[in-house]
Amino acid sequence: MDAPASEKRLEQLREKAWQEGVVPGRGVDVVGGPIPRKPGYYGEPVVKPPVWTWEVPLYFFFGGIGGMSAVIAFGAFLFHHVDLARTAIWIAAIAGAVLSPLLLIMDLGRPHLFLNMLRVFKHRSTMSMGAWILTAFGTCAVPGLIALELHTHQIFRGTLDQLLSFAAGIFIFGAAMFGTLLATYTGVLIAATAIPAWFLHRTLLPIHFGTAGLGSAAAVLELVGHRSAALNFLGFYAAAVETVLLIWLSVDKHGAADRAIHEHGSGWLIRIGELLSGPLALILRLLGLVPFAGISFLIGALVSRVGWIVVGKVSGSDPEAVFASQR
């Protein structure tokens, strides 16, 4: 017995929808209907794309600068470069202990949400760990700055001054430890997700974020007037690593699973950022143009942070990328 004409028509519509995505005509457009326009859950993304706004890439950027400035401050303090240590710990306190929490709270929307994350310590939650790392960093960086300033200006004499010097060293050491975590955990944060382009490069991201933070901190210190062989070496090192990571990113492709990195505007943002902080900054340093190398690295580090957030949004909205990453 032949199928009714209405059922045959429905089968034709389904076939055409699968081939073309939309069936033109009054009353047959399947957008949002039961026939998917593309692979996914009824045309919707399989995973939820990130909803972060402009505050988050800035938080990543300033957190990297603040964290790695504390590392430089500890090295400078250890080798008795007091002026460099003072400037570095000031930058660490402003970028890591003031701007970073402010940007994170702005993204959360309400201050008490940040405090709520400190009620419980969850070592398996990157968000919980991040809140605790940021708090511990500020707890070390600010007292370290105060103790170092009091010691430098010789506010007190004798034993009390020696205690201030010792306290400054202890607090700055703590800031350096938590600063390293602050600069790199953001790479872990976005990698520990179901977003294909992020998860597939989970090894690269913490290295990239940490290196970008180190190079940015060195660049800021050079731009405010500190010139030394050590800072120049850090600038060379960071630019060289970023160049290698750019090559790695260009070679380590996963087809449709991470095409957000190699296609679309998101891919261009990643490449522009890596070119500015990698090859271009390296060439400018080789030519002795240190300030321009620093500016190039800073712009590249910021653009790459924005690029990775955009990549996450594009990749999370692409069902084919999710399916390809599971194969």
Side-chain angles (χ1 to χ4, degrees):
M1 184 176 179
D2 293 337
S6 58
E7 291 186 11
K8 289 182 178 179
R9 176 57 177 158
L10 183 58
E11 289 299 324
Q12 291 173 356
L13 291 173
R14 287 192 178 120
E15 185 65 28
K16 193 172 183 63
W18 276 109
Q19 293 175 359
E20 301 180 11
V22 173
V23 180
R26 182 178 179 83
V28 295
D29 192 335
V30 295
V31 177
I35 305 175
R37 299 182 63 182
K38 57 184 179 179
Y41 183 76
Y42 293 107
E44 296 298 321
V46 179
V47 299
K48 186 177 180 180
V51 295
W52 291 330
T53 51
W54 60 270
E55 296 93 347
V56 172
L58 282 180
Y59 165 61
F60 290 175
F61 178 67
F62 285 113
I65 291 176
M68 287 305 181
S69 291
V71 174
I72 295 174
F74 178 68
F77 182 84
L78 202 61
F79 291 98
H80 306 291
H81 298 286
V82 180
D83 287 342
L84 178 59
R86 287 178 61 205
T87 306
I89 198 63
W90 267 105
I91 293 171
I94 293 170
V98 178
L99 291 178
S100 292
L102 179 63
L103 289 165
L104 185 56
I105 290 169
M106 287 173 65
D107 176 66
L108 292 172
R110 286 170 288 181
H112 76 269
L113 294 178
F114 178 80
L115 297 175
N116 284 344
M117 289 193 289
L118 300 176
R119 294 173 62 186
V120 180
F121 182 82
K122 298 179 180 179
H123 68 280
R124 293 186 179 182
S125 168
T126 50
M127 285 293 289
S128 175
M129 290 296 294
W132 279 97
I133 288 168
L134 189 58
T135 302
F137 175 80
T139 304
C140 291
V142 174
L145 168 62
I146 295 170
L148 184 59
E149 286 293 323
L150 291 173
H151 168 66
T152 303
H153 291 92
Q154 296 289 299
I155 302 298
F156 302 100
R157 302 284 181 178
T159 304
L160 189 54
D161 184 64
Q162 292 176 354
L163 288 174
L164 282 172
S165 177
F166 178 76
I170 294 297
F171 280 119
I172 293 173
F173 172 70
M177 285 185 57
F178 289 112
T180 304
L181 296 174
L182 178 61
T184 54
Y185 103 91
T186 47
V188 178
L189 170 66
I190 66 173
T193 65
I195 304 296
W198 287 351
F199 178 76
L200 290 169
H201 295 280
R202 58 192 178 277
T203 303
L204 175 147
L205 284 167
I207 299 171
H208 164 54
F209 278 35
T211 303
L214 181 62
S216 298
V220 171
L221 286 165
E222 288 176 326
L223 288 172
V224 297
H226 290 280
R227 299 293 173 82
S228 68
L231 288 177
N232 197 37
F233 170 78
L234 291 177
F236 268 117
Y237 168 78
V241 172
E242 289 296 296
T243 302
V244 172
L245 291 179
L246 173 61
I247 296 170
W248 180 9
L249 205 59
S250 301
V251 173
D252 187 32
K253 295 182 179 181
H254 299 268
D258 66 344
R259 62 186 174 192
I261 297 175
H262 308 288
E263 301 174 11
H264 312 291
S266 56
W268 278 107
L269 280 174
I270 294 290
R271 279 168 176 71
I272 291 170
E274 291 296 316
L275 284 169
L276 288 170
S277 59
L280 182 57
L282 191 60
I283 291 169
L284 290 171
R285 282 195 181 275
L286 288 170
L287 295 175
L289 302 173
V290 174
F292 294 102
I295 293 170
S296 177
F297 196 98
L298 285 169
I299 295 173
L302 179 57
V303 170
S304 68
R305 298 297 206 291
V306 175
W308 279 107
I309 298 300
V310 177
V311 159
K313 293 183 177 183
V314 173
S315 184
S317 302
D318 185 358
E320 290 184 21
V322 179
F323 297 147
S325 67
Q326 303 301 317
R327 297 189 184 115

